Amino acid sequence: MITSIKNDKVKEWKKLHKRKGRIQTGTFLIEGFHLMEEARKSSWKIREIIVEEDIDLPISYEAFPVERVTRAVFKEISQTESPQGIAAVVEMNRQSKVIGEHILLIDSVQDPGNLGTIIRTADAAGIDSVILGRGTVDLYNDKVIRASQGSIFHIPINVEDLLETIPRLKEDNYEIWVSALKNAQKYNEVPLSNKIALVLGNEGSGVNPAIINSADKIVKIPIYGKAESLNVSIAAGILMYYLKG
């Protein structure tokens, strides 16, 4: 039982709250029974489980290394307002080559809630792979993970330079669709091809102009009311479901 917040292990866990600590160790923290279960059912490796002293641990978790901690210690490492008393250190999963007919490319989306929701929706819509461009919020940010509801464990996600990735996708016969407003067609008036890579951009500035210039199709979602624009995660959902026919 770890009883002190000054314990070396507690200090190491707290380092995972920051991107630097996650990169140095190749690990990240997840919290709560739902995320635990999604990770356990996936191919991702759970390095250890951290559980509050009075929490009953399901039998299915007893195969993993377990650290019991006091409530005060768990509160110290928790990043949620209402901790469930269970967390885990998970190893980052180095993804293999992007595959599939429908790929989502994310250009500099900054809000972790938006990114997590987009990943969750991509998983639900049956998108084959997701590529996060440079400048996008860290995949292992706790808010991204929570908003994804565990979908990060179910869909291949890579981090790449999109300006280098897009030419490779074109060579592999992907049609590049970019979501933008200028010189754009209504998304539902554009015929679907067999292999499509859809690019979505930053909440404020949109997609990098250099990426727009590389597009085969520029698509937009019409606005019928007085709203200036759609939230990027909502736009992502509409476009991804259209791609799936």
Side-chain angles (χ1 to χ4, degrees):
M1 175 80 68
I2 295 177
T3 60
S4 172
I5 62 173
K6 295 182 180 179
N7 182 282
D8 286 342
K9 275 219 150 188
V10 177
K11 293 177 182 178
E12 291 301 314
W13 293 331
K14 287 185 67 177
K15 287 180 182 178
L16 301 183
H17 292 179
K18 303 291 185 182
R19 186 170 183 268
K20 180 179 178 181
R22 296 191 290 267
I23 291 173
Q24 286 176 341
T25 62
T27 63
F28 61 101
L29 279 173
I30 61 172
E31 272 192 68
F33 283 100
H34 175 71
L35 286 176
M36 286 287 302
E37 191 61 14
E38 296 303 302
R40 187 186 69 81
K41 293 186 296 186
S42 75
S43 62
W44 294 55
K45 184 177 179 180
I46 296 175
R47 185 172 289 184
E48 63 182 336
I49 292 174
I50 307 156
V51 61
E52 200 176 295
E53 55 191 318
D54 57 352
I55 298 294
D56 291 328
L57 195 64
I59 293 174
S60 55
Y61 297 154
E62 291 180 354
F64 302 103
V66 176
E67 288 284 359
R68 287 274 177 183
V69 302
T70 61
R71 181 170 296 181
V73 168
F74 195 89
K75 186 176 180 181
E76 186 73 11
I77 65 168
S78 174
Q79 293 176 276
T80 61
E81 292 184 8
S82 302
Q84 295 180 15
I86 189 167
V89 178
V90 182
E91 292 186 7
M92 295 178 182
N93 197 4
R94 305 300 179 188
Q95 301 292 352
S96 58
K97 181 182 176 182
V98 169
I99 56 172
E101 295 178 349
H102 299 105
I103 298 174
L104 180 65
L105 280 60
I106 304 295
D107 178 32
S108 300
V109 166
Q110 301 279 297
D111 182 86
N114 281 340
L115 180 60
T117 300
I118 289 169
I119 291 169
R120 180 182 181 182
T121 308
D123 183 18
I127 297 299
D128 298 299
S129 306
V130 177
I131 299 175
L132 308 182
R134 310 295 180 189
T136 298
V137 62
D138 182 23
L139 174 63
Y140 302 107
N141 176 295
D142 69 296
K143 292 179 181 178
V144 173
I145 295 168
R146 289 203 300 274
S148 84
Q149 285 291 297
S151 284
I152 70 161
F153 300 121
H154 305 315
I155 183 170
I157 304 172
N158 286 336
V159 178
E160 301 178 13
D161 185 329
L162 298 187
L163 290 173
E164 295 177 1
T165 298
I166 287 172
R168 292 201 304 267
L169 291 174
K170 285 192 168 190
E171 288 176 6
D172 201 17
N173 298 316
Y174 283 90
E175 192 170 73
I176 309 300
W177 286 30
V178 171
S179 175
L181 295 176
K182 192 174 180 181
N183 300 320
Q185 298 172 264
K186 290 182 181 179
Y187 76 95
N188 54 353
E189 295 178 356
V190 180
L192 296 171
S193 56
N194 290 331
K195 297 170 73 175
I196 298 173
L198 170 66
V199 187
L200 293 160
N202 177 271
E203 293 90 342
S205 58
V207 176
N208 181 333
I211 294 175
I212 295 176
N213 290 338
S214 71
D216 297 304
K217 297 287 191 300
I218 301 174
V219 298
K220 65 180 179 180
I221 300 168
I223 302 291
Y224 298 110
K226 295 182 180 180
E228 182 182 353
S229 62
L230 285 171
N231 175 277
V232 66
S233 63
I234 299 297
I238 293 169
L239 295 172
M240 286 189 287
Y241 271 91
Y242 178 69
L243 294 190
K244 297 300 290 188

